[in-house]
Short mmCIF file of all heavy atoms in Angstrom, two decimals:
data_model
loop_
_atom_site.label_atom_id
_atom_site.label_comp_id
_atom_site.label_asym_id
_atom_site.label_seq_id
_atom_site.Cartn_x
_atom_site.Cartn_y
_atom_site.Cartn_z
N ARG L 1536 1.93 21.95 4.32
CA ARG L 1536 3.19 21.70 3.60
C ARG L 1536 2.97 20.75 2.42
O ARG L 1536 3.63 20.87 1.38
CB ARG L 1536 4.22 21.11 4.57
CG ARG L 1536 5.65 21.02 4.03
CD ARG L 1536 6.23 22.39 3.70
NE ARG L 1536 7.64 22.29 3.34
CZ ARG L 1536 8.66 22.55 4.14
NH1 ARG L 1536 8.41 22.98 5.38
NH2 ARG L 1536 9.89 22.44 3.74
N ILE L 1537 2.03 19.82 2.56
CA ILE L 1537 1.69 18.94 1.45
C ILE L 1537 1.16 19.76 0.28
O ILE L 1537 1.56 19.57 -0.87
CB ILE L 1537 0.64 17.88 1.88
CG1 ILE L 1537 1.29 16.86 2.82
CG2 ILE L 1537 0.07 17.17 0.65
CD1 ILE L 1537 0.30 15.89 3.44
N MET L 1538 0.27 20.69 0.56
CA MET L 1538 -0.27 21.56 -0.48
C MET L 1538 0.86 22.36 -1.13
O MET L 1538 0.91 22.51 -2.36
CB MET L 1538 -1.31 22.49 0.11
CG MET L 1538 -1.94 23.46 -0.88
SD MET L 1538 -2.92 22.65 -2.18
CE MET L 1538 -4.41 22.22 -1.25
N GLN L 1539 1.77 22.84 -0.32
CA GLN L 1539 2.88 23.65 -0.82
C GLN L 1539 3.80 22.84 -1.73
O GLN L 1539 4.17 23.30 -2.83
CB GLN L 1539 3.66 24.20 0.38
CG GLN L 1539 4.90 25.02 0.01
CD GLN L 1539 5.60 25.51 1.27
OE1 GLN L 1539 4.96 25.95 2.24
NE2 GLN L 1539 6.92 25.44 1.28
N ASP L 1540 4.18 21.65 -1.30
CA ASP L 1540 5.15 20.86 -2.06
C ASP L 1540 4.52 20.08 -3.19
O ASP L 1540 5.13 19.92 -4.26
CB ASP L 1540 5.90 19.91 -1.12
CG ASP L 1540 7.04 20.59 -0.39
OD1 ASP L 1540 7.31 21.77 -0.69
OD2 ASP L 1540 7.67 19.97 0.47
N ALA L 1541 3.34 19.55 -2.97
CA ALA L 1541 2.72 18.70 -4.00
C ALA L 1541 2.22 19.52 -5.19
O ALA L 1541 2.06 18.97 -6.29
CB ALA L 1541 1.57 17.90 -3.40
N THR L 1542 1.97 20.80 -5.00
CA THR L 1542 1.56 21.64 -6.12
C THR L 1542 2.76 22.25 -6.85
O THR L 1542 2.59 22.94 -7.86
CB THR L 1542 0.63 22.78 -5.64
OG1 THR L 1542 1.27 23.51 -4.59
CG2 THR L 1542 -0.69 22.21 -5.13
N ASP L 1543 3.96 21.99 -6.35
CA ASP L 1543 5.18 22.39 -7.05
C ASP L 1543 5.34 21.49 -8.27
O ASP L 1543 5.44 20.27 -8.14
CB ASP L 1543 6.38 22.22 -6.11
CG ASP L 1543 7.70 22.60 -6.76
OD1 ASP L 1543 7.75 22.76 -8.00
OD2 ASP L 1543 8.70 22.71 -6.03
N PRO L 1544 5.34 22.04 -9.49
CA PRO L 1544 5.40 21.20 -10.69
C PRO L 1544 6.68 20.38 -10.82
O PRO L 1544 6.73 19.47 -11.66
CB PRO L 1544 5.28 22.22 -11.84
CG PRO L 1544 5.69 23.52 -11.24
CD PRO L 1544 5.26 23.47 -9.82
N GLU L 1545 7.68 20.66 -9.99
CA GLU L 1545 8.92 19.89 -10.04
C GLU L 1545 8.94 18.73 -9.05
O GLU L 1545 9.88 17.94 -9.03
CB GLU L 1545 10.13 20.79 -9.80
CG GLU L 1545 10.36 21.80 -10.91
CD GLU L 1545 11.69 22.52 -10.78
OE1 GLU L 1545 12.33 22.39 -9.70
OE2 GLU L 1545 12.10 23.19 -11.73
N THR L 1546 7.90 18.61 -8.23
CA THR L 1546 7.85 17.52 -7.25
C THR L 1546 7.40 16.23 -7.91
O THR L 1546 6.33 16.17 -8.52
CB THR L 1546 6.89 17.86 -6.09
OG1 THR L 1546 7.35 19.04 -5.43
CG2 THR L 1546 6.84 16.72 -5.08
N ALA L 1547 8.21 15.19 -7.78
CA ALA L 1547 7.88 13.88 -8.35
C ALA L 1547 7.21 12.98 -7.32
O ALA L 1547 6.27 12.25 -7.64
CB ALA L 1547 9.14 13.21 -8.88
N VAL L 1548 7.72 13.00 -6.09
CA VAL L 1548 7.23 12.09 -5.05
C VAL L 1548 7.05 12.85 -3.74
O VAL L 1548 7.91 13.65 -3.36
CB VAL L 1548 8.22 10.92 -4.81
CG1 VAL L 1548 7.72 10.03 -3.68
CG2 VAL L 1548 8.43 10.12 -6.08
N VAL L 1549 5.95 12.58 -3.07
CA VAL L 1549 5.75 13.06 -1.70
C VAL L 1549 5.73 11.83 -0.79
O VAL L 1549 4.88 10.96 -0.93
CB VAL L 1549 4.44 13.86 -1.55
CG1 VAL L 1549 4.21 14.24 -0.09
CG2 VAL L 1549 4.47 15.10 -2.42
N LEU L 1550 6.70 11.77 0.10
CA LEU L 1550 6.89 10.62 1.00
C LEU L 1550 6.37 10.98 2.38
O LEU L 1550 6.73 12.02 2.94
CB LEU L 1550 8.38 10.27 1.05
CG LEU L 1550 8.85 9.18 1.99
CD1 LEU L 1550 8.20 7.85 1.65
CD2 LEU L 1550 10.38 9.05 1.93
N LEU L 1551 5.52 10.10 2.96
CA LEU L 1551 4.81 10.44 4.19
C LEU L 1551 4.83 9.31 5.21
O LEU L 1551 4.95 8.14 4.84
CB LEU L 1551 3.34 10.76 3.85
CG LEU L 1551 3.12 11.87 2.81
CD1 LEU L 1551 1.78 11.66 2.11
CD2 LEU L 1551 3.19 13.23 3.46
N ASP L 1552 4.69 9.67 6.47
CA ASP L 1552 4.53 8.68 7.53
C ASP L 1552 3.18 8.91 8.22
O ASP L 1552 2.67 10.02 8.28
CB ASP L 1552 5.66 8.78 8.56
CG ASP L 1552 5.65 10.10 9.33
OD1 ASP L 1552 5.21 11.11 8.76
OD2 ASP L 1552 6.11 10.13 10.49
N VAL L 1553 2.61 7.82 8.71
CA VAL L 1553 1.40 7.88 9.53
C VAL L 1553 1.66 7.03 10.76
O VAL L 1553 1.97 5.84 10.65
CB VAL L 1553 0.17 7.34 8.77
CG1 VAL L 1553 -1.05 7.33 9.69
CG2 VAL L 1553 -0.11 8.19 7.54
N VAL L 1554 1.53 7.63 11.93
CA VAL L 1554 1.82 6.93 13.19
C VAL L 1554 0.54 6.82 14.01
O VAL L 1554 -0.09 7.83 14.32
CB VAL L 1554 2.92 7.65 13.99
CG1 VAL L 1554 3.23 6.86 15.27
CG2 VAL L 1554 4.17 7.83 13.15
N LEU L 1555 0.18 5.58 14.35
CA LEU L 1555 -1.03 5.34 15.13
C LEU L 1555 -0.70 5.23 16.61
O LEU L 1555 0.46 5.15 17.00
CB LEU L 1555 -1.71 4.05 14.66
CG LEU L 1555 -1.94 3.90 13.15
CD1 LEU L 1555 -2.71 2.62 12.87
CD2 LEU L 1555 -2.65 5.11 12.58
N GLY L 1556 -1.72 5.21 17.44
CA GLY L 1556 -1.51 5.05 18.88
C GLY L 1556 -2.29 6.08 19.68
O GLY L 1556 -2.93 6.98 19.14
N HIS L 1557 -2.22 5.96 20.99
CA HIS L 1557 -2.98 6.83 21.88
C HIS L 1557 -2.45 8.26 21.89
O HIS L 1557 -3.15 9.19 22.29
CB HIS L 1557 -2.98 6.27 23.29
CG HIS L 1557 -3.77 5.01 23.42
ND1 HIS L 1557 -5.15 4.99 23.42
CD2 HIS L 1557 -3.37 3.70 23.54
CE1 HIS L 1557 -5.57 3.73 23.53
NE2 HIS L 1557 -4.52 2.95 23.60
N GLY L 1558 -1.21 8.47 21.44
CA GLY L 1558 -0.65 9.83 21.42
C GLY L 1558 -0.81 10.52 20.09
O GLY L 1558 -0.25 11.60 19.88
N SER L 1559 -1.58 9.92 19.17
CA SER L 1559 -1.75 10.49 17.84
C SER L 1559 -3.17 10.98 17.62
O SER L 1559 -4.07 10.72 18.43
CB SER L 1559 -1.41 9.44 16.77
OG SER L 1559 -0.05 9.10 16.81
N ASN L 1560 -3.35 11.67 16.50
CA ASN L 1560 -4.67 12.12 16.08
C ASN L 1560 -5.62 10.93 16.01
O ASN L 1560 -5.20 9.82 15.71
CB ASN L 1560 -4.56 12.80 14.71
CG ASN L 1560 -5.86 13.37 14.21
OD1 ASN L 1560 -6.69 12.68 13.65
ND2 ASN L 1560 -6.04 14.66 14.42
N GLU L 1561 -6.90 11.14 16.27
CA GLU L 1561 -7.85 10.02 16.28
C GLU L 1561 -8.08 9.43 14.89
O GLU L 1561 -8.55 8.30 14.78
CB GLU L 1561 -9.18 10.49 16.87
CG GLU L 1561 -9.89 11.56 16.08
CD GLU L 1561 -11.19 12.01 16.73
OE1 GLU L 1561 -11.41 11.70 17.93
OE2 GLU L 1561 -11.97 12.69 16.04
N ASP L 1562 -7.73 10.16 13.84
CA ASP L 1562 -7.87 9.64 12.48
C ASP L 1562 -6.80 10.25 11.58
O ASP L 1562 -7.09 11.01 10.66
CB ASP L 1562 -9.27 9.97 11.94
CG ASP L 1562 -9.53 9.37 10.57
OD1 ASP L 1562 -8.80 8.44 10.17
OD2 ASP L 1562 -10.46 9.84 9.89
N PRO L 1563 -5.52 9.93 11.81
CA PRO L 1563 -4.44 10.57 11.04
C PRO L 1563 -4.51 10.28 9.55
O PRO L 1563 -4.25 11.16 8.72
CB PRO L 1563 -3.17 10.00 11.67
CG PRO L 1563 -3.60 8.73 12.33
CD PRO L 1563 -4.99 8.98 12.80
N ALA L 1564 -4.86 9.05 9.17
CA ALA L 1564 -4.95 8.72 7.74
C ALA L 1564 -6.11 9.45 7.08
O ALA L 1564 -6.01 9.89 5.93
CB ALA L 1564 -5.08 7.22 7.56
N GLY L 1565 -7.21 9.59 7.80
CA GLY L 1565 -8.35 10.32 7.26
C GLY L 1565 -8.01 11.77 7.00
O GLY L 1565 -8.38 12.34 5.96
N GLU L 1566 -7.29 12.40 7.94
CA GLU L 1566 -6.87 13.79 7.77
C GLU L 1566 -5.91 13.92 6.59
O GLU L 1566 -5.99 14.86 5.79
CB GLU L 1566 -6.20 14.29 9.05
CG GLU L 1566 -7.12 14.36 10.26
CD GLU L 1566 -8.13 15.50 10.15
OE1 GLU L 1566 -7.93 16.40 9.30
OE2 GLU L 1566 -9.11 15.49 10.91
N LEU L 1567 -5.00 12.94 6.48
CA LEU L 1567 -4.03 12.96 5.39
C LEU L 1567 -4.72 12.76 4.05
O LEU L 1567 -4.39 13.41 3.05
CB LEU L 1567 -2.98 11.88 5.62
CG LEU L 1567 -1.86 11.75 4.58
CD1 LEU L 1567 -1.15 13.08 4.39
CD2 LEU L 1567 -0.88 10.66 5.00
N ALA L 1568 -5.69 11.87 4.01
CA ALA L 1568 -6.42 11.60 2.77
C ALA L 1568 -7.14 12.86 2.28
O ALA L 1568 -7.16 13.15 1.07
CB ALA L 1568 -7.42 10.47 2.99
N LYS L 1569 -7.72 13.61 3.20
CA LYS L 1569 -8.40 14.85 2.83
C LYS L 1569 -7.40 15.86 2.23
O LYS L 1569 -7.69 16.53 1.23
CB LYS L 1569 -9.08 15.48 4.05
CG LYS L 1569 -10.26 14.68 4.59
CD LYS L 1569 -10.81 15.34 5.85
CE LYS L 1569 -11.89 14.49 6.50
NZ LYS L 1569 -12.35 15.07 7.78
N ALA L 1570 -6.23 15.95 2.86
CA ALA L 1570 -5.21 16.88 2.37
C ALA L 1570 -4.75 16.50 0.97
O ALA L 1570 -4.54 17.37 0.11
CB ALA L 1570 -4.03 16.90 3.34
N ILE L 1571 -4.59 15.21 0.74
CA ILE L 1571 -4.16 14.74 -0.58
C ILE L 1571 -5.24 15.01 -1.62
O ILE L 1571 -4.96 15.44 -2.75
CB ILE L 1571 -3.80 13.25 -0.53
CG1 ILE L 1571 -2.53 13.05 0.31
CG2 ILE L 1571 -3.61 12.67 -1.93
CD1 ILE L 1571 -2.17 11.60 0.58
N ALA L 1572 -6.49 14.77 -1.25
CA ALA L 1572 -7.60 15.04 -2.17
C ALA L 1572 -7.66 16.52 -2.54
O ALA L 1572 -7.84 16.86 -3.71
CB ALA L 1572 -8.92 14.60 -1.54
N ASP L 1573 -7.48 17.40 -1.57
CA ASP L 1573 -7.49 18.84 -1.83
C ASP L 1573 -6.33 19.23 -2.74
O ASP L 1573 -6.47 20.08 -3.62
CB ASP L 1573 -7.41 19.62 -0.52
CG ASP L 1573 -8.67 19.50 0.32
OD1 ASP L 1573 -9.72 19.14 -0.24
OD2 ASP L 1573 -8.59 19.76 1.54
N THR L 1574 -5.18 18.59 -2.51
CA THR L 1574 -4.00 18.89 -3.31
C THR L 1574 -4.19 18.47 -4.76
O THR L 1574 -3.80 19.19 -5.69
CB THR L 1574 -2.77 18.18 -2.72
OG1 THR L 1574 -2.55 18.66 -1.39
CG2 THR L 1574 -1.53 18.46 -3.55
N ARG L 1575 -4.78 17.32 -4.96
CA ARG L 1575 -5.01 16.84 -6.34
C ARG L 1575 -5.88 17.83 -7.12
O ARG L 1575 -5.69 18.03 -8.32
CB ARG L 1575 -5.67 15.46 -6.30
CG ARG L 1575 -4.77 14.33 -5.81
CD ARG L 1575 -5.44 12.98 -6.05
NE ARG L 1575 -4.74 11.88 -5.41
CZ ARG L 1575 -3.63 11.31 -5.89
NH1 ARG L 1575 -3.11 11.75 -7.01
NH2 ARG L 1575 -3.07 10.29 -5.25
N LYS L 1576 -6.84 18.44 -6.43
CA LYS L 1576 -7.72 19.40 -7.10
C LYS L 1576 -6.97 20.67 -7.47
O LYS L 1576 -7.28 21.32 -8.48
CB LYS L 1576 -8.89 19.75 -6.18
CG LYS L 1576 -9.83 18.60 -5.88
CD LYS L 1576 -10.90 19.01 -4.88
CE LYS L 1576 -11.80 17.84 -4.51
NZ LYS L 1576 -12.80 18.22 -3.47
N ALA L 1577 -5.98 21.05 -6.66
CA ALA L 1577 -5.28 22.31 -6.87
C ALA L 1577 -4.06 22.19 -7.77
O ALA L 1577 -3.63 23.18 -8.37
CB ALA L 1577 -4.84 22.88 -5.51
N ALA L 1578 -3.49 21.00 -7.90
CA ALA L 1578 -2.23 20.82 -8.61
C ALA L 1578 -2.43 20.71 -10.12
O ALA L 1578 -3.40 20.12 -10.59
CB ALA L 1578 -1.51 19.58 -8.09
N THR L 1579 -1.50 21.29 -10.87
CA THR L 1579 -1.51 21.12 -12.33
C THR L 1579 -0.83 19.82 -12.73
O THR L 1579 -1.16 19.21 -13.74
CB THR L 1579 -0.80 22.30 -13.00
OG1 THR L 1579 0.53 22.44 -12.45
CG2 THR L 1579 -1.58 23.59 -12.76
N THR L 1580 0.15 19.40 -11.93
CA THR L 1580 0.79 18.09 -12.09
C THR L 1580 0.71 17.39 -10.74
O THR L 1580 0.91 18.03 -9.71
CB THR L 1580 2.26 18.21 -12.52
OG1 THR L 1580 2.97 19.01 -11.56
CG2 THR L 1580 2.38 18.85 -13.89
N THR L 1581 0.43 16.12 -10.75
CA THR L 1581 0.25 15.38 -9.50
C THR L 1581 1.45 14.48 -9.22
O THR L 1581 1.81 13.67 -10.07
CB THR L 1581 -1.02 14.52 -9.54
OG1 THR L 1581 -2.14 15.36 -9.84
CG2 THR L 1581 -1.25 13.83 -8.20
N PRO L 1582 2.08 14.61 -8.06
CA PRO L 1582 3.18 13.71 -7.71
C PRO L 1582 2.66 12.34 -7.29
O PRO L 1582 1.46 12.15 -7.07
CB PRO L 1582 3.84 14.43 -6.53
CG PRO L 1582 2.71 15.16 -5.87
CD PRO L 1582 1.81 15.59 -6.99
N VAL L 1583 3.57 11.41 -7.16
CA VAL L 1583 3.25 10.10 -6.60
C VAL L 1583 3.31 10.22 -5.08
O VAL L 1583 4.29 10.72 -4.53
CB VAL L 1583 4.25 9.03 -7.08
CG1 VAL L 1583 4.01 7.71 -6.36
CG2 VAL L 1583 4.15 8.85 -8.59
N PHE L 1584 2.26 9.81 -4.41
CA PHE L 1584 2.23 9.83 -2.94
C PHE L 1584 2.57 8.44 -2.43
O PHE L 1584 1.95 7.45 -2.82
CB PHE L 1584 0.84 10.23 -2.43
CG PHE L 1584 0.49 11.67 -2.70
CD1 PHE L 1584 -0.21 12.02 -3.85
CD2 PHE L 1584 0.87 12.66 -1.82
CE1 PHE L 1584 -0.54 13.34 -4.10
CE2 PHE L 1584 0.55 13.99 -2.06
CZ PHE L 1584 -0.15 14.33 -3.21
N ILE L 1585 3.56 8.36 -1.56
CA ILE L 1585 4.02 7.09 -0.98
C ILE L 1585 4.02 7.24 0.54
O ILE L 1585 4.47 8.26 1.07
CB ILE L 1585 5.43 6.72 -1.48
CG1 ILE L 1585 5.40 6.53 -3.00
CG2 ILE L 1585 5.94 5.46 -0.78
CD1 ILE L 1585 6.78 6.28 -3.60
N ALA L 1586 3.51 6.22 1.24
CA ALA L 1586 3.43 6.32 2.70
C ALA L 1586 3.57 4.96 3.36
O ALA L 1586 3.38 3.91 2.74
CB ALA L 1586 2.09 6.95 3.11
N SER L 1587 3.91 5.00 4.63
CA SER L 1587 3.89 3.81 5.48
C SER L 1587 3.06 4.15 6.71
O SER L 1587 3.04 5.30 7.15
CB SER L 1587 5.30 3.38 5.90
OG SER L 1587 5.93 4.40 6.67
N VAL L 1588 2.36 3.16 7.24
CA VAL L 1588 1.55 3.35 8.45
C VAL L 1588 2.15 2.50 9.56
O VAL L 1588 2.24 1.28 9.44
CB VAL L 1588 0.08 2.93 8.21
CG1 VAL L 1588 -0.75 3.20 9.46
CG2 VAL L 1588 -0.50 3.68 7.01
N CYS L 1589 2.57 3.16 10.63
CA CYS L 1589 3.17 2.47 11.77
C CYS L 1589 2.09 2.25 12.83
O CYS L 1589 1.62 3.21 13.45
CB CYS L 1589 4.31 3.30 12.34
SG CYS L 1589 5.12 2.55 13.76
N GLY L 1590 1.68 1.00 13.00
CA GLY L 1590 0.64 0.70 13.97
C GLY L 1590 0.17 -0.72 13.86
O GLY L 1590 0.73 -1.52 13.10
N THR L 1591 -0.88 -1.06 14.62
CA THR L 1591 -1.42 -2.43 14.62
C THR L 1591 -2.94 -2.37 14.62
O THR L 1591 -3.55 -1.31 14.79
CB THR L 1591 -0.97 -3.20 15.88
OG1 THR L 1591 -1.66 -2.67 17.02
CG2 THR L 1591 0.54 -3.08 16.10
N GLU L 1592 -3.54 -3.52 14.46
CA GLU L 1592 -5.00 -3.61 14.52
C GLU L 1592 -5.51 -3.26 15.92
O GLU L 1592 -6.68 -2.87 16.10
CB GLU L 1592 -5.47 -5.02 14.16
CG GLU L 1592 -4.99 -5.51 12.79
CD GLU L 1592 -5.50 -4.67 11.64
OE1 GLU L 1592 -6.49 -3.94 11.83
OE2 GLU L 1592 -4.92 -4.74 10.55
N ALA L 1593 -4.66 -3.39 16.93
CA ALA L 1593 -5.06 -3.10 18.31
C ALA L 1593 -5.03 -1.62 18.64
O ALA L 1593 -5.55 -1.20 19.68
CB ALA L 1593 -4.18 -3.86 19.28
N ASP L 1594 -4.43 -0.80 17.78
CA ASP L 1594 -4.41 0.65 18.02
C ASP L 1594 -5.83 1.21 17.89
O ASP L 1594 -6.64 0.68 17.12
CB ASP L 1594 -3.47 1.33 17.04
CG ASP L 1594 -2.02 1.19 17.44
OD1 ASP L 1594 -1.71 1.45 18.62
OD2 ASP L 1594 -1.19 0.82 16.59
N PRO L 1595 -6.14 2.29 18.60
CA PRO L 1595 -7.51 2.83 18.56
C PRO L 1595 -7.95 3.25 17.16
O PRO L 1595 -9.14 3.25 16.86
CB PRO L 1595 -7.45 4.02 19.52
CG PRO L 1595 -6.00 4.33 19.70
CD PRO L 1595 -5.29 3.03 19.56
N GLN L 1596 -6.99 3.61 16.28
CA GLN L 1596 -7.37 4.04 14.93
C GLN L 1596 -7.57 2.85 13.98
O GLN L 1596 -8.14 3.03 12.91
CB GLN L 1596 -6.29 4.97 14.34
CG GLN L 1596 -6.05 6.23 15.14
CD GLN L 1596 -4.97 6.05 16.20
OE1 GLN L 1596 -4.60 4.94 16.56
NE2 GLN L 1596 -4.46 7.16 16.70
N ASN L 1597 -7.04 1.68 14.32
CA ASN L 1597 -7.13 0.45 13.53
C ASN L 1597 -6.32 0.53 12.24
O ASN L 1597 -6.61 1.31 11.34
CB ASN L 1597 -8.58 0.10 13.20
CG ASN L 1597 -8.69 -1.27 12.54
OD1 ASN L 1597 -8.54 -1.41 11.34
ND2 ASN L 1597 -8.95 -2.30 13.33
#
Side-chain angles (χ1 to χ4, degrees):
R1536 190 63 173 259
I1537 289 172
M1538 179 65 75
Q1539 177 180 318
D1540 277 355
T1542 54
D1543 179 347
E1545 293 190 348
T1546 300
V1548 178
V1549 176
L1550 176 61
L1551 304 154
D1552 66 330
V1553 176
V1554 182
L1555 310 184
H1557 291 286
S1559 294
N1560 183 277
E1561 63 182 15
D1562 185 17
E1566 295 288 344
L1567 180 55
K1569 292 176 186 176
I1571 292 173
D1573 291 341
T1574 298
R1575 290 190 189 281
K1576 295 176 183 177
T1579 55
T1580 57
T1581 304
V1583 173
F1584 291 93
I1585 298 175
S1587 62
V1588 183
C1589 179
T1591 72
E1592 304 298 341
D1594 281 312
Q1596 300 90 344
N1597 187 275

